[in-house]
Amino acid sequence: MFKAGIKKEIKLFTRGFRLWGLIILVMGLALTYPAMYKMIEVMGDALTDMSSLGGEAASAADSVSGMMGSLTALYGADSIGQVGFYTGVAALVGIGMLITMLLFMVTAGGEQKKRSVIIPDCAGLTPVGYVMPKFAIYPILTVVIMFLGTLFAGLVTNAMFGNVVSMNDMLFSGACAAGYGLFEITAYFMVGLCMGRPGIAVVIVYLGSELVSLLLTAFRIDRFNPFVLYNMVGSPYEQIDDTNNFVLSLIVSVILSVIFCLITLMVAGLRKIDNSVGDANL
């Protein structure tokens, strides 16, 4: 049953636009932000060359130079290229996770259609056979996508600006993105499968995560939780002075992901289902 479920989930994901949509998403975000800051740098260099003419060109060159200096100071970066990498990775975790959840809607409860808490009717299908393949495929896939997407963004940035992003920065941001992505996608599958409403689950998990992150930051609860990883994404590795916080936050993310899977199994196993006649009877 488990192997059949794995095959079914792989076929469901690889057929259609979902796989290509995820690849385009990662490549697009990894390219967009470094390219945008490269354009700013090129424009700044061009205005600097024209500044000798004085007037508006000199004023514009000063404005662009000041903006670039403010951005590098804000992100603790040494160059505008590093800013492109940090903002690109942050977008990959923020916007990227939102789009990823939308791409996974069909398998995160969408199969249940109008029967909001019903496992699709299939001979021999058990709650474990329905739930476990999803938690075996999509969280792992999300971890791989987030990690490789971060490395790709770093390589693209280095190709555009020279070697401005160190391997330590790439690996650190990749680990943060993967850890937080694991936490968020398992929370999404838990809510989606328990409710049978993946669209509502996207709103609950995405907006709820943003709200909880803001509240934890406001109350300075910035240790040993998945949102620490979210806030660390796009930060220079050299500025992280609490390695234990990073490592334990990763461990907590994994533990919470396992708990979310167990909760989903428990809810699915408690249902009393009769699909034999007409609409489902709970």
Side-chain angles (χ1 to χ4, degrees), residues 82 85-86 89 92 146-159 162-178 232-238 246:
Q82 288 182 333
F85 169 71
Y86 297 146
V89 174
L92 180 64
M146 290 292 111
F147 187 79
L148 293 183
T150 302
L151 294 184
F152 182 66
L155 294 175
V156 168
T157 303
N158 284 341
N163 294 321
V164 296
V165 182
S166 67
M167 182 57 67
N168 284 339
D169 277 359
M170 292 187 208
L171 294 176
F172 175 71
S173 289
C176 290
M232 284 183 174
V233 168
S235 299
Y237 174 74
E238 292 76 12
F246 163 67

Side-chain angles (χ1 to χ4, degrees), residues 159-199:
M160 291 183 178
F161 294 92
N163 294 321
V164 296
V165 182
S166 67
M167 182 57 67
N168 284 339
D169 277 359
M170 292 187 208
L171 294 176
F172 175 71
S173 289
C176 290
Y180 182 75
L182 174 67
F183 162 76
E184 187 152 288
I185 205 69
T186 51
Y188 168 60
F189 269 83
M190 177 188 68
V191 177
L193 293 175
C194 290
M195 295 177 60
R197 295 286 189 268

Side-chain angles (χ1 to χ4, degrees), residues 8-9 22 77 86 92 102 126 173 188 234 242 254 258 281:
K8 172 252 186 185
E9 296 298 337
L22 204 54
Y86 297 146
L92 180 64
L102 293 174
T126 64
S173 289
Y188 168 60
D242 190 352
V254 173
V258 173
N281 299 313

Side-chain angles (χ1 to χ4, degrees), residues 200-260:
I200 297 176
V202 171
V203 176
I204 291 174
V205 173
Y206 186 77
L207 295 183
S209 297
E210 294 292 329
L211 178 60
V212 171
S213 178
L214 289 174
L215 289 175
L216 292 178
T217 301
F219 289 102
R220 300 191 178 185
I221 305 173
D222 56 355
R223 295 178 64 80
F224 313 141
N225 65 78
F227 299 99
V228 170
L229 303 176
Y230 181 67
N231 294 325
M232 284 183 174
V233 168
S235 299
Y237 174 74
E238 292 76 12
Q239 293 184 7
I240 305 301
D241 55 1
D242 190 352
T243 306
N244 290 334
N245 191 18
F246 163 67
V247 173
L248 290 176
S249 295
L250 274 178
I251 294 173
V252 169
S253 297
V254 173
I255 292 173
L256 288 176
S257 299
V258 173
I259 291 173
F260 292 156

Side-chain angles (χ1 to χ4, degrees), residues 64-118:
V64 173
S65 178
M67 179 186 68
M68 292 171 63
S70 298
L71 286 170
T72 53
L74 176 64
Y75 286 93
D78 297 326
S79 69
I80 197 67
Q82 288 182 333
V83 174
F85 169 71
Y86 297 146
T87 54
V89 174
L92 180 64
V93 176
I95 301 172
M97 282 305 305
L98 173 61
I99 299 175
T100 299
M101 286 190 285
L102 293 174
L103 289 173
F104 289 167
M105 281 179 61
V106 171
T107 192
E111 303 151 312
Q112 299 173 24
K113 299 184 183 299
K114 296 181 180 179
R115 296 177 176 185
S116 62
V117 290
I118 292 302

